[in-house]
Amino acid sequence: QVQLQESGPGLVKPSQTLSLTCTVSGGPIYRGGYHWTWIRQHPGKGLEWIGYIYSGGTSYNPSLKSRVSMSLDTSKNQLSLKLTSVTAADTAVYYCARAPYSSSTIFDQWGQGTLVTVSS
Amino acid sequence: QSVLTQPPSASGTPGQRVIISCSGSSSNIGSNTVNWYQQVPGTAPKLLIYSNNQRPSGVPDRFSGSKSGTSASLAISGLQSEDEADYYCAAWDDSLGGVFGTGTKVTVL
């Protein structure tokens, strides 16, 4: 059973870069077939798709594309998210999740989520 | 930035049937499959229905999904207290990427 675990700073200052890592256990991320995805949820609000990464590339939410980058570290079995120039509007719970190539919104495995607060 | 519209709330008494709608457009639901998630507050969402009407292993058969045109629905039959949660639809949008519904809070009266 694949498990995902997010980690990173819980507090980021405005204008700085938010950096999160998702460690995957129970299976190698380099094995084809999955889009490794980041999703966020603003406090008390709905879910927002940030984007995904896989061995063949990335796809980002157009509204965040100018500030987002994702990467894979196959040696550590991790995926990472960077979001630049953050503001209070980026305060949210950030989830990593897995979706098969066949449908990029079938998120069958999720991390537990990590709250990131943007504040000075 | 939710492009899929759901009613904000739905409710029923134990044993009743509750239906949640999800309205989209030709660029998302109209051309791609719909998935549903259940989220108990404070926890990560859980896949409930995929590919419009398929249940993952372990999901009770009182949960069912359907799709017609640019809309989809999730039905909960035989409502139980543990069904009290937030429910989200999701689909791929050909221009925007992954999109979620606005979410529906289900209350068991």
Side-chain angles (χ1 to χ4, degrees), chain B residues 7-35:
Chain B
S9 63
S11 62
T13 57
Q16 279 191 327
R17 178 180 169 93
V18 170
I19 297 177
I20 301 168
S21 61
C22 175
S23 178
S25 67
S26 59
S27 64
N28 42 67
I29 294 177
S31 54
N32 297 291
T33 57
V34 178
N35 311 299

PDB file of all heavy atoms in Angstrom, chain B residues 7-35:
ATOM      1  N   PRO B   7     -24.486  22.218  -4.857  1.00  0.00           N
ATOM      2  CA  PRO B   7     -25.255  22.896  -3.810  1.00  0.00           C
ATOM      3  C   PRO B   7     -24.416  22.927  -2.537  1.00  0.00           C
ATOM      4  O   PRO B   7     -23.696  21.974  -2.245  1.00  0.00           O
ATOM      5  CB  PRO B   7     -26.489  22.002  -3.645  1.00  0.00           C
ATOM      6  CG  PRO B   7     -26.048  20.666  -4.124  1.00  0.00           C
ATOM      7  CD  PRO B   7     -25.059  20.915  -5.214  1.00  0.00           C
ATOM      8  N   PRO B   8     -24.493  24.012  -1.779  1.00  0.00           N
ATOM      9  CA  PRO B   8     -23.651  24.113  -0.577  1.00  0.00           C
ATOM     10  C   PRO B   8     -24.001  23.104   0.512  1.00  0.00           C
ATOM     11  O   PRO B   8     -23.134  22.717   1.295  1.00  0.00           O
ATOM     12  CB  PRO B   8     -23.872  25.545  -0.089  1.00  0.00           C
ATOM     13  CG  PRO B   8     -25.104  26.005  -0.777  1.00  0.00           C
ATOM     14  CD  PRO B   8     -25.224  25.250  -2.048  1.00  0.00           C
ATOM     15  N   SER B   9     -25.251  22.674   0.537  1.00  0.00           N
ATOM     16  CA  SER B   9     -25.635  21.751   1.598  1.00  0.00           C
ATOM     17  C   SER B   9     -26.722  20.793   1.136  1.00  0.00           C
ATOM     18  O   SER B   9     -27.444  21.065   0.165  1.00  0.00           O
ATOM     19  CB  SER B   9     -26.126  22.529   2.826  1.00  0.00           C
ATOM     20  OG  SER B   9     -27.282  23.273   2.502  1.00  0.00           O
ATOM     21  N   ALA B  10     -26.796  19.675   1.830  1.00  0.00           N
ATOM     22  CA  ALA B  10     -27.849  18.688   1.626  1.00  0.00           C
ATOM     23  C   ALA B  10     -28.046  17.972   2.954  1.00  0.00           C
ATOM     24  O   ALA B  10     -27.110  17.887   3.768  1.00  0.00           O
ATOM     25  CB  ALA B  10     -27.478  17.692   0.528  1.00  0.00           C
ATOM     26  N   SER B  11     -29.241  17.496   3.185  1.00  0.00           N
ATOM     27  CA  SER B  11     -29.486  16.822   4.459  1.00  0.00           C
ATOM     28  C   SER B  11     -30.570  15.774   4.318  1.00  0.00           C
ATOM     29  O   SER B  11     -31.345  15.764   3.353  1.00  0.00           O
ATOM     30  CB  SER B  11     -29.885  17.839   5.532  1.00  0.00           C
ATOM     31  OG  SER B  11     -31.081  18.487   5.170  1.00  0.00           O
ATOM     32  N   GLY B  12     -30.604  14.883   5.278  1.00  0.00           N
ATOM     33  CA  GLY B  12     -31.620  13.853   5.307  1.00  0.00           C
ATOM     34  C   GLY B  12     -31.592  13.133   6.638  1.00  0.00           C
ATOM     35  O   GLY B  12     -30.620  13.250   7.401  1.00  0.00           O
ATOM     36  N   THR B  13     -32.645  12.400   6.895  1.00  0.00           N
ATOM     37  CA  THR B  13     -32.699  11.584   8.107  1.00  0.00           C
ATOM     38  C   THR B  13     -32.089  10.217   7.812  1.00  0.00           C
ATOM     39  O   THR B  13     -31.961   9.825   6.633  1.00  0.00           O
ATOM     40  CB  THR B  13     -34.143  11.417   8.582  1.00  0.00           C
ATOM     41  OG1 THR B  13     -34.915  10.831   7.517  1.00  0.00           O
ATOM     42  CG2 THR B  13     -34.751  12.764   8.958  1.00  0.00           C
ATOM     43  N   PRO B  14     -31.682   9.490   8.829  1.00  0.00           N
ATOM     44  CA  PRO B  14     -31.120   8.151   8.604  1.00  0.00           C
ATOM     45  C   PRO B  14     -32.052   7.280   7.767  1.00  0.00           C
ATOM     46  O   PRO B  14     -33.259   7.240   8.011  1.00  0.00           O
ATOM     47  CB  PRO B  14     -30.946   7.607  10.027  1.00  0.00           C
ATOM     48  CG  PRO B  14     -30.721   8.825  10.854  1.00  0.00           C
ATOM     49  CD  PRO B  14     -31.612   9.878  10.255  1.00  0.00           C
ATOM     50  N   GLY B  15     -31.470   6.630   6.775  1.00  0.00           N
ATOM     51  CA  GLY B  15     -32.248   5.764   5.903  1.00  0.00           C
ATOM     52  C   GLY B  15     -32.731   6.434   4.630  1.00  0.00           C
ATOM     53  O   GLY B  15     -33.108   5.754   3.675  1.00  0.00           O
ATOM     54  N   GLN B  16     -32.746   7.756   4.612  1.00  0.00           N
ATOM     55  CA  GLN B  16     -33.204   8.468   3.426  1.00  0.00           C
ATOM     56  C   GLN B  16     -32.162   8.440   2.317  1.00  0.00           C
ATOM     57  O   GLN B  16     -31.012   8.060   2.509  1.00  0.00           O
ATOM     58  CB  GLN B  16     -33.533   9.930   3.782  1.00  0.00           C
ATOM     59  CG  GLN B  16     -34.897  10.123   4.411  1.00  0.00           C
ATOM     60  CD  GLN B  16     -35.288  11.594   4.493  1.00  0.00           C
ATOM     61  OE1 GLN B  16     -34.439  12.472   4.675  1.00  0.00           O
ATOM     62  NE2 GLN B  16     -36.598  11.862   4.386  1.00  0.00           N
ATOM     63  N   ARG B  17     -32.620   8.884   1.139  1.00  0.00           N
ATOM     64  CA  ARG B  17     -31.746   9.009  -0.030  1.00  0.00           C
ATOM     65  C   ARG B  17     -31.438  10.472  -0.259  1.00  0.00           C
ATOM     66  O   ARG B  17     -32.342  11.314  -0.250  1.00  0.00           O
ATOM     67  CB  ARG B  17     -32.437   8.405  -1.252  1.00  0.00           C
ATOM     68  CG  ARG B  17     -31.676   8.503  -2.562  1.00  0.00           C
ATOM     69  CD  ARG B  17     -32.512   7.855  -3.654  1.00  0.00           C
ATOM     70  NE  ARG B  17     -32.019   8.106  -4.993  1.00  0.00           N
ATOM     71  CZ  ARG B  17     -31.178   7.299  -5.642  1.00  0.00           C
ATOM     72  NH1 ARG B  17     -30.727   6.210  -5.067  1.00  0.00           N
ATOM     73  NH2 ARG B  17     -30.789   7.586  -6.877  1.00  0.00           N
ATOM     74  N   VAL B  18     -30.160  10.759  -0.444  1.00  0.00           N
ATOM     75  CA  VAL B  18     -29.720  12.135  -0.696  1.00  0.00           C
ATOM     76  C   VAL B  18     -28.997  12.154  -2.036  1.00  0.00           C
ATOM     77  O   VAL B  18     -28.193  11.254  -2.332  1.00  0.00           O
ATOM     78  CB  VAL B  18     -28.768  12.623   0.420  1.00  0.00           C
ATOM     79  CG1 VAL B  18     -28.118  13.947   0.036  1.00  0.00           C
ATOM     80  CG2 VAL B  18     -29.534  12.778   1.731  1.00  0.00           C
ATOM     81  N   ILE B  19     -29.272  13.178  -2.830  1.00  0.00           N
ATOM     82  CA  ILE B  19     -28.625  13.316  -4.128  1.00  0.00           C
ATOM     83  C   ILE B  19     -27.910  14.653  -4.196  1.00  0.00           C
ATOM     84  O   ILE B  19     -28.488  15.692  -3.858  1.00  0.00           O
ATOM     85  CB  ILE B  19     -29.638  13.184  -5.279  1.00  0.00           C
ATOM     86  CG1 ILE B  19     -30.263  11.780  -5.267  1.00  0.00           C
ATOM     87  CG2 ILE B  19     -28.954  13.444  -6.616  1.00  0.00           C
ATOM     88  CD1 ILE B  19     -31.325  11.568  -6.320  1.00  0.00           C
ATOM     89  N   ILE B  20     -26.657  14.633  -4.626  1.00  0.00           N
ATOM     90  CA  ILE B  20     -25.846  15.840  -4.765  1.00  0.00           C
ATOM     91  C   ILE B  20     -25.533  16.030  -6.250  1.00  0.00           C
ATOM     92  O   ILE B  20     -25.058  15.101  -6.911  1.00  0.00           O
ATOM     93  CB  ILE B  20     -24.526  15.710  -3.981  1.00  0.00           C
ATOM     94  CG1 ILE B  20     -24.807  15.476  -2.491  1.00  0.00           C
ATOM     95  CG2 ILE B  20     -23.663  16.947  -4.170  1.00  0.00           C
ATOM     96  CD1 ILE B  20     -23.572  15.048  -1.715  1.00  0.00           C
ATOM     97  N   SER B  21     -25.764  17.214  -6.750  1.00  0.00           N
ATOM     98  CA  SER B  21     -25.515  17.492  -8.154  1.00  0.00           C
ATOM     99  C   SER B  21     -24.180  18.203  -8.344  1.00  0.00           C
ATOM    100  O   SER B  21     -23.641  18.834  -7.422  1.00  0.00           O
ATOM    101  CB  SER B  21     -26.638  18.350  -8.732  1.00  0.00           C
ATOM    102  OG  SER B  21     -26.684  19.590  -8.041  1.00  0.00           O
ATOM    103  N   CYS B  22     -23.657  18.096  -9.547  1.00  0.00           N
ATOM    104  CA  CYS B  22     -22.391  18.731  -9.916  1.00  0.00           C
ATOM    105  C   CYS B  22     -22.543  19.204 -11.351  1.00  0.00           C
ATOM    106  O   CYS B  22     -22.681  18.381 -12.269  1.00  0.00           O
ATOM    107  CB  CYS B  22     -21.252  17.729  -9.776  1.00  0.00           C
ATOM    108  SG  CYS B  22     -19.629  18.307 -10.337  1.00  0.00           S
ATOM    109  N   SER B  23     -22.544  20.511 -11.537  1.00  0.00           N
ATOM    110  CA  SER B  23     -22.793  21.079 -12.857  1.00  0.00           C
ATOM    111  C   SER B  23     -21.522  21.678 -13.431  1.00  0.00           C
ATOM    112  O   SER B  23     -20.832  22.456 -12.760  1.00  0.00           O
ATOM    113  CB  SER B  23     -23.882  22.150 -12.748  1.00  0.00           C
ATOM    114  OG  SER B  23     -24.109  22.747 -13.997  1.00  0.00           O
ATOM    115  N   GLY B  24     -21.225  21.327 -14.676  1.00  0.00           N
ATOM    116  CA  GLY B  24     -20.018  21.817 -15.322  1.00  0.00           C
ATOM    117  C   GLY B  24     -20.297  22.331 -16.717  1.00  0.00           C
ATOM    118  O   GLY B  24     -21.336  22.950 -16.960  1.00  0.00           O
ATOM    119  N   SER B  25     -19.364  22.065 -17.618  1.00  0.00           N
ATOM    120  CA  SER B  25     -19.497  22.562 -18.991  1.00  0.00           C
ATOM    121  C   SER B  25     -18.917  21.541 -19.972  1.00  0.00           C
ATOM    122  O   SER B  25     -18.438  20.484 -19.577  1.00  0.00           O
ATOM    123  CB  SER B  25     -18.763  23.899 -19.125  1.00  0.00           C
ATOM    124  OG  SER B  25     -17.367  23.691 -18.971  1.00  0.00           O
ATOM    125  N   SER B  26     -18.951  21.909 -21.229  1.00  0.00           N
ATOM    126  CA  SER B  26     -18.484  20.990 -22.270  1.00  0.00           C
ATOM    127  C   SER B  26     -16.985  20.718 -22.188  1.00  0.00           C
ATOM    128  O   SER B  26     -16.514  19.693 -22.690  1.00  0.00           O
ATOM    129  CB  SER B  26     -18.832  21.548 -23.645  1.00  0.00           C
ATOM    130  OG  SER B  26     -18.239  22.828 -23.820  1.00  0.00           O
ATOM    131  N   SER B  27     -16.246  21.623 -21.545  1.00  0.00           N
ATOM    132  CA  SER B  27     -14.793  21.448 -21.482  1.00  0.00           C
ATOM    133  C   SER B  27     -14.354  20.574 -20.315  1.00  0.00           C
ATOM    134  O   SER B  27     -13.178  20.200 -20.229  1.00  0.00           O
ATOM    135  CB  SER B  27     -14.088  22.803 -21.393  1.00  0.00           C
ATOM    136  OG  SER B  27     -14.438  23.464 -20.189  1.00  0.00           O
ATOM    137  N   ASN B  28     -15.259  20.267 -19.420  1.00  0.00           N
ATOM    138  CA  ASN B  28     -14.894  19.398 -18.300  1.00  0.00           C
ATOM    139  C   ASN B  28     -15.805  18.161 -18.232  1.00  0.00           C
ATOM    140  O   ASN B  28     -15.511  17.138 -18.861  1.00  0.00           O
ATOM    141  CB  ASN B  28     -14.830  20.145 -16.977  1.00  0.00           C
ATOM    142  CG  ASN B  28     -15.960  21.144 -16.776  1.00  0.00           C
ATOM    143  OD1 ASN B  28     -17.117  20.767 -16.643  1.00  0.00           O
ATOM    144  ND2 ASN B  28     -15.620  22.427 -16.764  1.00  0.00           N
ATOM    145  N   ILE B  29     -16.934  18.279 -17.554  1.00  0.00           N
ATOM    146  CA  ILE B  29     -17.806  17.112 -17.424  1.00  0.00           C
ATOM    147  C   ILE B  29     -18.291  16.623 -18.786  1.00  0.00           C
ATOM    148  O   ILE B  29     -18.435  15.423 -19.014  1.00  0.00           O
ATOM    149  CB  ILE B  29     -18.989  17.431 -16.486  1.00  0.00           C
ATOM    150  CG1 ILE B  29     -18.479  17.666 -15.059  1.00  0.00           C
ATOM    151  CG2 ILE B  29     -20.019  16.295 -16.498  1.00  0.00           C
ATOM    152  CD1 ILE B  29     -19.560  18.052 -14.056  1.00  0.00           C
ATOM    153  N   GLY B  30     -18.527  17.559 -19.680  1.00  0.00           N
ATOM    154  CA  GLY B  30     -19.049  17.177 -20.990  1.00  0.00           C
ATOM    155  C   GLY B  30     -18.099  16.330 -21.817  1.00  0.00           C
ATOM    156  O   GLY B  30     -18.540  15.645 -22.750  1.00  0.00           O
ATOM    157  N   SER B  31     -16.805  16.356 -21.499  1.00  0.00           N
ATOM    158  CA  SER B  31     -15.851  15.617 -22.306  1.00  0.00           C
ATOM    159  C   SER B  31     -14.918  14.721 -21.507  1.00  0.00           C
ATOM    160  O   SER B  31     -14.052  14.052 -22.083  1.00  0.00           O
ATOM    161  CB  SER B  31     -15.009  16.594 -23.143  1.00  0.00           C
ATOM    162  OG  SER B  31     -14.410  17.576 -22.311  1.00  0.00           O
ATOM    163  N   ASN B  32     -15.106  14.688 -20.193  1.00  0.00           N
ATOM    164  CA  ASN B  32     -14.245  13.854 -19.339  1.00  0.00           C
ATOM    165  C   ASN B  32     -15.062  13.221 -18.215  1.00  0.00           C
ATOM    166  O   ASN B  32     -16.178  13.655 -17.932  1.00  0.00           O
ATOM    167  CB  ASN B  32     -13.115  14.701 -18.739  1.00  0.00           C
ATOM    168  CG  ASN B  32     -12.187  15.262 -19.797  1.00  0.00           C
ATOM    169  OD1 ASN B  32     -11.446  14.519 -20.435  1.00  0.00           O
ATOM    170  ND2 ASN B  32     -12.228  16.582 -19.977  1.00  0.00           N
ATOM    171  N   THR B  33     -14.476  12.210 -17.606  1.00  0.00           N
ATOM    172  CA  THR B  33     -15.212  11.501 -16.551  1.00  0.00           C
ATOM    173  C   THR B  33     -15.181  12.283 -15.232  1.00  0.00           C
ATOM    174  O   THR B  33     -14.363  13.176 -15.039  1.00  0.00           O
ATOM    175  CB  THR B  33     -14.638  10.102 -16.320  1.00  0.00           C
ATOM    176  OG1 THR B  33     -13.251  10.217 -15.994  1.00  0.00           O
ATOM    177  CG2 THR B  33     -14.779   9.234 -17.560  1.00  0.00           C
ATOM    178  N   VAL B  34     -16.114  11.938 -14.353  1.00  0.00           N
ATOM    179  CA  VAL B  34     -16.290  12.627 -13.076  1.00  0.00           C
ATOM    180  C   VAL B  34     -15.935  11.684 -11.921  1.00  0.00           C
ATOM    181  O   VAL B  34     -16.249  10.487 -11.963  1.00  0.00           O
ATOM    182  CB  VAL B  34     -17.741  13.115 -12.920  1.00  0.00           C
ATOM    183  CG1 VAL B  34     -17.930  13.799 -11.555  1.00  0.00           C
ATOM    184  CG2 VAL B  34     -18.095  14.080 -14.041  1.00  0.00           C
ATOM    185  N   ASN B  35     -15.291  12.254 -10.927  1.00  0.00           N
ATOM    186  CA  ASN B  35     -14.928  11.512  -9.719  1.00  0.00           C
ATOM    187  C   ASN B  35     -15.482  12.246  -8.509  1.00  0.00           C
ATOM    188  O   ASN B  35     -15.668  13.460  -8.545  1.00  0.00           O
ATOM    189  CB  ASN B  35     -13.410  11.393  -9.623  1.00  0.00           C
ATOM    190  CG  ASN B  35     -12.799  10.921 -10.928  1.00  0.00           C
ATOM    191  OD1 ASN B  35     -13.092   9.838 -11.412  1.00  0.00           O
ATOM    192  ND2 ASN B  35     -11.976  11.769 -11.533  1.00  0.00           N
TER     193      ASN B  35
END
